Amino acid sequence: MTTSDSAPTAPKAPAKDPWDLPDVSGLVVGVLGGTGPQGKGLAYRFARAGQKVVLGSRAAERAQAAADELGLGIEGADNAECARRSDIVIVAVPWDGHGATLEALREDLAGKLVVDCVNPLGFDKKGAYALKPEEGSAAEQAAALLPDSRVTAAFHHLSAVLLADPEVEEIDTDVMVLGESRADTDLVQALAARIPGMRGIFAGRLRNAHQVESLVANLISVNRRYKAHAGLRVTDV
């Protein structure tokens, strides 16, 4: 038997605990589209949790007015400045302006961790229905438009009403987080966990984002039938 045949095999490193998440408390969170209901609600919740937040809009004055309304140390800026000043940038713009907004901000978002929470939806007399972008999903469109950014997808299924309600202490829901890098999805999961009651759950790579974005159409139907603000919980994790 050769020496190499008899050499002991090095022990495998223990598997990383999926709940061992990084500390994101010192990171600056930017919210593009921060004057809309979803973006404004997310900005409020993160600032309430102690995160430094910059709220972005196409017009700096509009962003600052919304920031002043929310308080909690939130600052307003135009979208480009918001992107430049932030470590993590949440994209909460309307689907109709998604592509054009991100294309214009490609340089400002270079090197940033981008979290896309846009849901491509259509509406008719039967209610909400999912649209499928040419790239497959809003998140995949973002990744195609932002080759120098680290694109993830999360925060799709949150009620803007609950996010904005100061009487609601905890948001009882899980956040599906998708991305190509575990280090990036861990950061987003940790950011979600900053909001009391919320967990971030890894849900696959960006190629799986379409069904996550589309599920919002079902939740809208649930909310209309039951007069609710439905969220999601993943069991057994």
Side-chain angles (χ1 to χ4, degrees), residues 30-43 56 89-95 98 101-102 114-119 155:
V31 184
L32 304 180
T35 57
Q38 195 78 357
K40 207 170 174 182
L42 285 167
V89 182
I90 298 173
V91 181
V93 300
W95 167 240
H98 182 264
T101 299
L102 295 184
V114 174
V115 187
D116 200 296
C117 70
V118 175
N119 302 302
F155 304 115

Side-chain angles (χ1 to χ4, degrees), residues 42-65:
L42 285 167
Y44 170 69
R45 285 291 159 179
F46 287 125
R48 181 166 160 168
Q51 213 76 32
K52 177 62 183 174
V53 176
V54 180
L55 192 150
S57 180
R58 285 177 296 179
E61 298 80 7
R62 189 178 176 199
Q64 190 58 55

Side-chain angles (χ1 to χ4, degrees), residues 53-206:
V53 176
V54 180
L55 192 150
S57 180
R58 285 177 296 179
E61 298 80 7
R62 189 178 176 199
Q64 190 58 55
D68 291 342
E69 179 187 338
L70 292 173
L72 299 172
I74 297 171
E75 297 179 13
D78 64 47
N79 281 331
E81 184 182 351
C82 172
R84 289 193 296 268
R85 290 175 56 190
S86 303
D87 301 303
I88 300 178
V89 182
I90 298 173
V91 181
V93 300
W95 167 240
D96 288 348
H98 182 264
T101 299
L102 295 184
E103 192 167 15
L105 296 172
R106 180 177 297 172
E107 292 185 8
D108 302 298
L109 290 168
K112 306 290 185 177
L113 175 55
V114 174
V115 187
D116 200 296
C117 70
V118 175
N119 302 302
L121 297 177
F123 295 86
D124 60 19
K125 63 183 180 181
K126 295 181 179 179
Y129 60 95
L131 303 174
K132 188 158 189 181
E134 182 180 346
E135 298 84 355
S137 64
E140 288 169 294
Q141 183 183 87
L145 292 170
L146 304 172
D148 298 319
S149 303
R150 295 138 52 210
V151 176
T152 60
F155 304 115
H156 299 91
H157 305 138
L158 306 181
S159 163
V161 173
L162 294 182
L163 289 172
D165 188 344
E167 299 300 316
V168 175
E169 296 291 336
E170 297 187 359
I171 305 293
D172 181 24
T173 194
D174 287 332
V175 171
M176 311 286 272
V177 180
L178 303 99
E180 301 304 314
S181 159
R182 176 160 183 178
D184 292 339
T185 55
D186 279 359
L187 284 168
V188 180
Q189 286 180 252
L191 184 63
R194 295 279 288 158
I195 300 175
M198 195 177 290
R199 294 189 307 172
I201 304 289
F202 175 72
R205 295 180 179 268
L206 288 186

